[in-house]
Amino acid sequence: MDNGESSTNNSSRPWESYNTVFTNAKAGMEGVDKEKVQRIVYELSKGSKYFQNEERKETLMKQKIEHMHDRSAKLSSSDLSNYQKVVDRRILELEATRDLSRIWLHVDMDAFYAAVETLSNPSLGGKPMAVGGLSMISTANYEARKFGVRAAMPGFIARKLCPDLIFVPVDFTKYTHYSELARKVFRNYDPQFIAGSLDEAYLDITEVCRERGLSGGEIAEELRSSVYSETGLTCSAGVAANRLLAKVCSDINKPNGQFILQNDRSTVMTFISSLPIRKIGGIGKVTEHILKDALGIKTCEDMVQKGSLLYALFSQSSADFFLSVGLGLGETDTPQARSRKSISCERTFSATEDEKLLYSKLAEIAEMLSDDMKKEGLIARTLTLKLKTATFEIRSRAVSLKRYTCSSEDILKHATKLLKAELPVSVRLIGLRMSQFSDEIRHSDPSQETITKFIVQKDFSRQNLDDNKIDASKNCLSNDESMSLSFDTHETSYDQLKDVLENEEQSQLDANKVPPNQECTRKEERPQVLEGDALLIKHKEYKPDTSHSMNDNSSAQNSEPVTLFLPIEPLFWIDGYKCNLCGIELPPSFVEERQEHSDFHLAQRLQNEESGSSSSTTPTSKRRILGKEKANSKPKKQKQSEKDDATCHLVLYYPHTISFQERTPEEMKMALNLIPPKLNLSPSNSLGEPKSLPSMSDILTSSRARNLDLKIQTLGPFFRVTGKNADTGGEIGRAEGVVRPWFGQGLVLHLDTIRLTKETMKMDKSVLGVGLYVGAVAIRHGYDCGCRTAQLLAIYDSDLYHSKLVRFYRRIGFEEVKEVSGSLIGDMADMLVWGGVGTRMDANIHHLLLKWSKVFLKSNV
DNA sequence: ATACATACC
DNA sequence: TACTGGTATGTAT
């Protein structure tokens, strides 16, 4: 913004147009003569190669802003109102994920490196000091910050700002030591805390607060004083309902302070409303300027206000992020420890064109990188060369190798080729990075993300079928070209992995100084990543029934890690119309059907992973989708489930891997009630809701009387209802599904799973009880979401259960619509969605609720 | 898959 | 004497 506005008068004060990050409001920067700092930075920088490059980048940024501004100006009001509908819908969905039940604490050590240096050399106390050198400063203490000296500032500029500045070289060994001391304290409050870096961490203190009956603020006080007594270092803390907010909060009363944001929606909204967007992690200098200058978005509140612009001009994921920021939402769960995705090494030197010199620098870096990889026990197959030219332009060149490697010879060989192609060039930095590690399981994380995105976005795009601006195809797994490409890759990478693992043992016998434990290191690595596989972990979590049985994938030091994880087979259309997984033929014009179809395969795969029998994926799905062999084809999985789980899977075809947010029915209802009237798309509601219909809380109250503990969780259009025994906490039933548009019927409540434990199935009374209640919550949820119809498929897997199921659903109020046998063309839609044959049963939601109202309202009295 | 940009500490 | 190094991720092609 500075540049935009000051461009009018920068002839008199040219430094004002030099857009540096060094004058951003930052802790310890209050009372700094910003203009002086800006002037000095400018004086020392102007005309330099660095400066010129900054100007170049700034020009590009302004073009970007201009372009975005133009695009926003060209949007018609009908465009905007369409996007507003998208925004309204997303607000609804995002709001439903709000979780105010967790308490997150973000700790941030104050001027960490500098404070550690002062600790080991107390004579530095009270004097302006910076950790780093004349070329770059890592951290400055608060005395130095008074002069405008700060992290990421070159030392020679800092010295100009503060001639008495003391420079202390960085010493990571020291910082790591103190970091570990602090982390020991963190562990007492959250053993699973998330380390952001050496000097900061996120702690989920929900449990500590509850157990000890203390507030977040009290815990923060105690933690900070404990950190101080253990390390002699001060830190600041922020406490809030999610990590994003906690991080913002920890910065507010820095240094040696804390800020607590109450877990209350209106408090959060007030807090967020005036918050400058730059305070949000992930929004940096460029994004700030783009949003501000092109769209006039300054505060987080503006993100919601101008949501339609955001969805019109940015990718959906970006717009979603911005919108959720505007709503004060952030991560509330503890993610699985993530494994690194790349390793790199780079060095700056005085710029040179000398090829011999450059090659020798390259060799040094290759050597260092290789050493680091060996230390970490990593092998990778993508090599990226990074060059910073004498003019500060960054170039990167990458190759993917046929084999995984960590050897300096391999790295150097390929890096040299890459460098050679760039010569002649004057270079001031060379870097090498290796990525695409051989950790096979790594694939499941991104794919899981893709699935979630895919499904959510598919739904999103359906709301805009007439709107070409939203490109649904790029999110669609049936995107032939790209998918077949990555299919190949997965195949080869699997083979290569085997090769590598076999060859690795050989190569270790080869003189190489690889420590003998390296193989071990890598093997240890793999189960670790395994634990990080949300697929497996989450299933356990969601399926208490299975915890006693099956192979415990996550704990074992498995002797055959490779065979456990077959590569994921992405779906693509052979010759443009034939599914590579099951052979079903669907012309490209069947866009929606194709989406459903890939949907099914993904769900199927996840389901198989859950059961641990991934090998049955294809045959099972094939048989099902082709409608052959019916009962005889009974998948192994189903038998396992019945035997091991002691559950009866009625319909089980939806991914369980989505991270749902826990909400009680009341919270759910609250969330829905928070939506402004114009956002309420429910046709039922617009007609006025008859008093006689049981409300969510009616159902809940009634269920409590029957010793049932009901919960509904949602993620966007998806939902999950669980019913537990209020005494034992054991799950006795659940329903899962999605609110989705159905061919020509508007929104329907699509029940993908209703599962009751076997115990429940045996006792007819309980079946009706649990099933009715679980169903009622789901149905009421559908009603609240504007669905008129609920539909399900009682899958024909066994005669015994099938007839029982149909009877059960009939008693609940569903009606048999038709038998989906797979023999009729008309069955296709159902088979594509459910991936099986059975009895399609529908119910009118309004009628259901009316019919049930007696039950729930009566037991209320 | 690759190139480049952005962000964070 | 002249503006880091390591990692992750988003966007475009």
Side-chain angles (χ1 to χ4, degrees), chain A residues 790-810:
Chain A
Q791 55 178 219
L792 58 84
L793 187 77
I795 283 205
Y796 195 95
D797 268 332
S798 95
D799 288 313
L800 182 71
Y801 283 117
H802 183 258
S803 53
K804 197 154 183 169
L805 287 181
V806 173
R807 260 207 320 278
F808 164 64
Y809 286 122
R810 214 186 289 134

Side-chain angles (χ1 to χ4, degrees), chain A residues 333-339 441-449 452 527-543 553-554 565 605-606 609-610 655-660 720:
Chain A
D333 60 332
T334 296
Q336 299 304 319
R338 38 179 196 193
S339 54
I441 196 65
R442 171 184 45 76
H443 290 304
S444 65
D445 260 358
S447 76
Q448 188 184 341
E449 228 177 84
T452 311
Q528 210 173 44
V529 183
L530 244 178
E531 277 167 28
D533 180 17
L535 283 180
L536 300 170
I537 297 295
K538 284 197 173 156
H539 288 312
K540 281 212 184 71
E541 216 172 277
Y542 292 151
K543 246 172 86 176
N553 287 333
S554 63
F565 301 102
R605 200 199 79 230
L606 290 166
E609 286 191 33
E610 176 183 62
H656 291 190
T657 49
I658 299 156
S659 38
F660 283 74
R720 169 185 301 148

Side-chain angles (χ1 to χ4, degrees), chain A residues 2 41 62 80 120 158 243 309 364 481 574 589 731 760 821:
Chain A
D2 309 328
V41 172
K62 283 187 176 156
L80 285 175
S120 57
R243 292 203 292 279
L309 283 179
E364 284 175 37
E481 235 174 66
I574 301 164
S589 57
E731 190 179 298
T760 320
S821 65

Side-chain angles (χ1 to χ4, degrees), chain A residues 310-421:
Chain A
L310 293 172
Y311 277 86
L313 300 172
F314 291 89
S315 69
Q316 205 208 334
S317 60
S318 300
D320 279 347
F321 169 69
F322 293 144
L323 191 63
S324 67
V325 165
L327 294 170
L329 299 171
E331 296 292 318
T332 53
D333 60 332
T334 296
Q336 299 304 319
R338 38 179 196 193
S339 54
R340 74 150 84 226
K341 293 176 179 57
S342 71
I343 184 165
S344 65
C345 182
E346 65 186 50
R347 285 296 176 273
T348 298
F349 42 84
S350 52
T352 178
E353 281 189 285
D354 184 326
E355 299 190 6
K356 286 265 154 27
L357 213 50
L358 290 176
Y359 283 131
S360 84
K361 298 277 182 201
L362 190 67
E364 284 175 37
I365 292 159
E367 191 67 41
M368 286 189 279
L369 178 59
S370 170
D371 287 350
D372 288 350
M373 290 181 78
K374 285 168 186 168
K375 269 180 226 153
E376 299 274 332
L378 295 166
I379 48 173
R381 62 180 281 266
T382 298
L383 172 69
T384 306
L385 169 74
K386 173 177 166 183
L387 298 179
K388 193 188 283 178
T389 66
T391 54
F392 285 85
E393 284 162 297
I394 308 290
R395 283 187 208 172
S396 70
R397 299 288 179 262
V399 271
S400 288
L401 313 178
K402 289 203 179 72
R403 290 180 164 278
Y404 292 94
T405 187
C406 67
S407 95
S408 62
E409 292 81 8
D410 283 348
I411 294 173
L412 183 58
K413 187 175 77 187
H414 292 101
T416 304
K417 279 190 209 165
L418 292 175
L419 176 59
K420 196 171 182 180

Side-chain angles (χ1 to χ4, degrees), chain A residues 732 756-770 804 811:
Chain A
I732 46 186
L756 307 170
T757 64
K758 254 190 172 173
E759 284 312 301
T760 320
M761 289 297 285
K762 282 176 189 160
M763 304 177 290
D764 273 7
K765 226 178 174 181
S766 314
V767 171
L768 192 55
V770 179
K804 197 154 183 169
R811 281 163 73 177

